[in-house]
Amino acid sequence: MRVRDLLSPSCIDLNGIASSKTDAIDKMVDLMDKRQNLSDKEVYKKGVFAREEESTTGIGEGIAIPHCKSDSVKRPGLAAMVLPEGVEYDALDGEPVNLIFLIAAPNTKDNVHLDVLSRLSTLLMDEKFVSDLRAAKSPEEFLNIIEKAEDAKDAEEAAKASASASSDGYEILAVTSCPTGIAHTYMAAEALEKAGKEMGVKIKVETRGSGGAKNVVTADEIKAAKAIIIAADAKVPVDRFAGKPVLEAHVAEGINKPKELINKALSGTVPVFSGSGASENEASDKAQGNAGHQAYKHLMSGVSHMLPFVIGGGILVAIAFLVDTLAGYGATARGSFGSATPLAAFLKYVGGQAMGLMIPVLAGYIAYSIADRPGLAVGFTGGMLAASGNAAIGGYMDTWTNLGSNGDGFSQFISKFAFSADGVNTVSGFLGAIVIGFISGYVVNWLKKSTEKLPQSLAGIRPILIYPLCGVFIVGVLMCFIFNPIIGFINTALSAALNGIYASGQIWLLGLLLGAMMAIDMGGPINKAAYVFGSGMLAQAAVDPSLESAAFISMAAVMAGGMVPPVGIALACKLFPKKFTAAEKSSWISNIIMGASFITEGAIPFAAADPGHVIPATMAGAGVAGLLSALFGCTLRAPHGGIFVFATVGNPVMYIVAWLAGSAVTCALLGILKKDVE
């Protein structure tokens, strides 16, 4: 099906005006409806916006191609709009969009919208074609430009097919694929083919989009080729290229740097792919040579799997506090707030269990991304140790003493370093989970390599015995003897420092430090040290009324600091959308809810994905909130609850000012520090 066949003059607006992306899509849907392609306009529109939530269809260079496949579409169609003034569209390059094509496809098996989208994407790679469309004086001229371009493209493809039939082979073969398998897949293919033609290099490009593999390379073509280019951000089969130089790159490089890729592929410096038995390009990470990109990919594997636990569990806990507040327990429940009523207790229990899984899941799926399935058990174990810390020494030592052991040097060593004394916190939290997740993955890969030469008869026990047994042991030793004891020492020092500042009477400095500590590791050991100090002060005030003023001010600073990171990040998602991925931006509402509920963990996925920029921003904002709260003399009598316990806050108006000021600082710093998402 041709692009021209799906357009009519009534569906083309050459002088469009739109105030926003939403307004532009609304007007595009109105244009589509003029040709009576839709059976339910509103259902179709919802489908278009749902697709935008997945990732923007603003592909860059001033072009957007929104699309939807739906039961509400009676027959396939296109609508087009030229916006001389442009519109902010959240495009990949951050530039305004001034040319929009909208695709409507019926919900059938033939995936007509993908075929049209691939053809349209390749046509739009031609700068003259795009400039001619923007300069068209009438809908009829607009259609003629498309028709001529399609005729030329058909002739070019026919000539290519004829040349292929009589060809002795291609110098270079390429494969392109993007995560959504739509526009960028075909744009990269077009760019590589165009560059090859200009350079006099015979090249064939296989596209692996949502509609399946097209222009698939053959075994004979692989045999004759000098090198292979894989311009992909999604998995593609690579074992067929064993014995050939394989150059891996991002799909964006295929679009923007096609000549560089071709020159490098032919330079003779590209490593030969060994064909290690894996069927996906993920197996040849070494050929990519980008350690930073690989580390980020592994980290995001853990973060993306962790996010549902944070959101689902966190919001259930927030609802538990709301239930208790509505029941009248906000000011009186104190330590039992959130579980003072049966319904609240149930919600808090379920939500707490879900949130308790987030640290093991983070570590487990980082390890899984590095070492595949064998890494999962080892990573989960390391994450559990990071989340729970070392076991308390008391119970073990009592048993040991009762058995009459005098304790040799080795036993004493284990008892001192593998366990924790009462009152010492050895929980390493999400920072520990990140570290041990990577270590777990690389430990399992090392075990794989170390056991490669075992007899074939023992190969079956490697994944079910050697990897989990040795991996869990190694990770357990590292966590219990190194990372968790170090964290325990740090926590002890922090507690002593906080008590020293409190004793000196510098309540403003205490507020600053407590607030900042709440935003360093979002529920980790440093966060918990601040929270335990604040809640511990409340417990002391219940016994000694003379401590009430300092205790209530400290607790207020703790909660203000803990409420800042999720809210500041949510604001940044709205004010600086180019800094965040589509998935991150879609979580802004849940972050508002969690921040308002004093659930700092909502910020963990953002901090884990970009700790070098996010943590300084959240620390600064939370520190400002804690400082202002203390300076304003704000007090808090409840140990938790966020906005649901504001009835117990002294000087509530200024407390809200402190919270929002800190959130604004975090938001502004994220806008300055974070880089735009690629």
Side-chain angles (χ1 to χ4, degrees), residues 153-170 202 204 215 221:
K153 189 67 178 175
D154 288 342
E156 180 184 335
E157 290 177 353
K160 188 191 302 182
S162 176
S164 175
S166 59
S167 173
D168 294 330
Y170 295 94
K202 297 175 69 176
K204 178 179 179 178
N215 203 33
E221 290 168 342

Side-chain angles (χ1 to χ4, degrees), residues 553 555-561 563 625 628-630 632 634-636 642 646 649-661:
I553 288 175
M555 193 66 235
V558 166
M559 192 167 82
M563 295 169 71
L628 293 178
S629 174
F632 295 151
C634 300
T635 60
L636 176 64
F646 272 19
V649 171
N651 201 2
V653 173
M654 297 312 295
Y655 192 63
I656 293 173
V657 169
W659 171 34
L660 295 181

Side-chain angles (χ1 to χ4, degrees), residues 234-246:
K235 293 181 179 180
V236 299
V238 295
D239 237 16
R240 52 191 169 150
F241 302 131
K244 290 290 181 180
V246 174

Side-chain angles (χ1 to χ4, degrees), residues 473-664:
F473 173 74
I474 293 170
V475 164
V477 169
L478 291 174
M479 288 302 293
C480 292
F481 285 83
I482 298 177
F483 297 115
N484 285 344
I486 290 174
I487 295 298
F489 174 79
I490 293 173
N491 286 334
T492 302
L494 285 173
S495 296
L498 290 175
N499 282 309
I501 294 170
Y502 162 70
S504 71
Q506 300 182 65
I507 199 69
W508 64 269
L509 178 58
L510 189 63
L512 171 67
L513 291 177
L514 288 173
M517 287 171 66
M518 292 298 294
I520 295 177
D521 54 356
M522 328 303 185
I526 299 175
N527 170 287
K528 286 295 185 287
Y531 180 75
V532 168
F533 178 85
S535 57
M537 289 289 289
L538 287 185
Q540 292 182 45
V543 178
D544 184 358
S546 66
L547 297 175
E548 283 190 351
S549 177
F552 296 160
I553 288 175
S554 297
M555 193 66 235
V558 166
M559 192 167 82
M563 295 169 71
V564 162
V567 175
I569 288 171
L571 294 175
C573 286
K574 300 303 291 181
L575 295 178
F576 308 106
K578 299 174 187 176
K579 309 287 184 179
F580 302 93
T581 65
E584 289 173 334
K585 287 183 287 188
S586 67
S587 69
W588 76 275
I589 294 178
S590 61
N591 266 291
I592 290 287
I593 295 172
M594 284 190 279
S597 306
F598 185 36
I599 299 173
T600 318
E601 286 86 348
I604 286 180
F606 296 83
D610 188 8
H613 298 113
V614 172
I615 290 178
T618 56
M619 278 182 61
V624 167
L627 171 65
L628 293 178
S629 174
L631 288 176
F632 295 151
C634 300
T635 60
L636 176 64
R637 295 171 179 268
H640 210 298
I643 61 173
F644 304 118
V645 294
F646 272 19
T648 71
V649 171
N651 201 2
V653 173
M654 297 312 295
Y655 192 63
I656 293 173
V657 169
W659 171 34
L660 295 181
S663 300

Side-chain angles (χ1 to χ4, degrees), residues 48-59:
V48 175
F49 280 113
R51 171 59 185 84
E52 292 296 324
E53 287 295 319
E54 295 177 16
S55 62
T56 181
T57 55
I59 61 177

Side-chain angles (χ1 to χ4, degrees), residues 114-115 118 186 204-209 211-217:
L114 296 178
D115 294 333
S118 64
Y186 304 102
K204 178 179 179 178
V205 184
E206 173 182 307
T207 57
R208 303 187 71 85
K214 304 289 178 64
N215 203 33
V216 178
V217 299

